[in-house]
Amino acid sequence: MHNIYLFIIVTALMTYAMRVLPLTLIRKPIRSRFVRSFLFYVPYVTLAVMTFPAIIEATNVKIAGVAALLIGIIMAWKGQSLIMVAASCSLVVLLVELL
């Protein structure tokens, strides 16, 4: 039989190692422009990879999710507030699903 506590301990150790190893191995400032620019965009890409599929899959009709995603990207690109973007995306999903 599997021991759940063993799985929890191994998962905790791996999570801890992933967070501590970069701090202990990289002590000097990163000077490479390429690596610094790569690391700058990692949080944005990670958020996008997690969010975009969820937006499309959360609706009953996939085209509603795609339409809301496109409207949200356009409005955010033009500098609209988060509330306006969210409200507009919700309205687009409602209208497309009603059709």
Side-chain angles (χ1 to χ4, degrees):
M1 194 96 181
H2 299 294
N3 187 354
I4 189 71
Y5 296 112
L6 179 64
F7 293 137
I8 292 172
I9 290 170
V10 169
T11 303
L13 289 174
M14 292 308 297
T15 302
Y16 181 74
M18 287 180 1
R19 295 177 189 275
V20 169
L21 280 178
L23 294 174
T24 58
L25 296 178
I26 305 172
R27 294 181 183 242
K28 296 179 183 176
I30 299 172
R31 296 176 193 228
S32 169
R33 285 183 62 193
F34 175 76
V35 173
R36 287 178 63 147
S37 66
F38 174 79
L39 292 175
F40 178 79
Y41 289 109
V42 166
Y44 301 110
V45 171
T46 305
L47 181 63
V49 166
M50 292 187 307
T51 306
F52 291 169
I55 291 170
I56 296 170
E57 296 291 327
T59 59
N60 292 330
V61 181
K62 299 241 188 268
I63 194 71
V66 172
L69 179 63
L70 292 175
I71 293 297
I73 289 171
I74 291 168
M75 290 186 70
W77 189 271
K78 293 191 176 214
Q80 295 295 319
S81 68
L82 181 60
I83 298 295
M84 289 299 297
V85 172
S88 299
C89 291
S90 299
L91 185 63
V92 166
V93 168
L94 179 67
L95 292 175
V96 171
E97 286 189 355
L98 285 177
L99 297 175

